[in-house]
């Protein structure tokens, strides 16, 4: 997935790349989704200095995914599963503080040649 990182979170480019690669390893989307451009999911994650999740990851897009169409729900649940499976995030072992990132799970990135 593409990794969207909000301003002010303090991640280095190396940490962004490591987390992006980590999410690719953990994320499993059904390959038969009809309209992947409509199934982009954003997940807000708060982590401690070691990269461990602090609290539950939060789907910020689509809002209210539980009431959405089955394909949208499946996409959101796959993204949440990936974040939990990849806990802790790969951050610099010398990091002094935690942070927050928004992970952008875009199926088009995974099916593009």
């Amino acid at each position: 997935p593409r990794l969207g990182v909000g301003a002010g979170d303090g991640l280095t480019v190396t940490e962004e790349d490591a987390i992006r690669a980590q999410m690719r390893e953990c994320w499993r989307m059904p390959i038969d989704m009809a309209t992947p451009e409509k199934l982009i999911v954003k997940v807000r994650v708060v982590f401690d200095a070691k990269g461990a999740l602090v609290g539950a990851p939060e789907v910020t897009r689509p809002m209210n995914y539980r009431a959405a169409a089955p394909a949208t729900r499946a996409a959101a649940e796959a993204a949440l599963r990936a974040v939990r499976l990849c806990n802790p995030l790969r951050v610099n072992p010398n990091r002094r503080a935690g942070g927050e990132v928004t992970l952008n799970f875009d199926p088009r990135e995974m099916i593009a040649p």
Side-chain angles (χ1 to χ4, degrees):
R2 271 188 290 162
L3 173 66
V5 179
D9 59 26
L11 284 179
T12 66
V13 172
T14 303
E15 287 174 316
E16 287 180 31
D17 289 343
I19 294 170
R20 183 181 300 112
Q22 182 181 10
M23 289 300 130
R24 273 195 193 106
E25 292 171 13
C26 296
W27 189 38
R28 300 291 178 260
M29 274 293 293
I31 58 172
D32 61 346
M33 294 292 179
T35 53
E37 67 278 0
K38 295 183 179 180
L39 299 176
I40 297 169
V41 176
K42 292 187 179 198
V43 179
R44 181 179 154 275
V45 176
V46 178
F47 59 94
D48 67 16
K50 301 289 186 196
L53 298 180
V54 175
E58 174 190 3
V59 174
T60 60
R61 177 185 172 185
M63 295 181 73
N64 197 17
Y65 75 91
R66 288 183 180 100
T72 302
R73 258 193 330 273
E77 289 166 0
L80 288 171
R81 241 186 336 272
V83 172
R84 290 184 188 111
L85 183 63
C86 278
N87 184 30
L89 301 177
R90 293 180 187 151
V91 296
N92 183 332
N94 298 320
R95 180 176 264 282
R96 294 184 181 181
E100 177 181 316
V101 296
T102 298
L103 303 169
N104 186 39
F105 292 87
D106 187 339
R108 297 172 296 183
E109 295 294 310
M110 299 303 282
I111 61 175

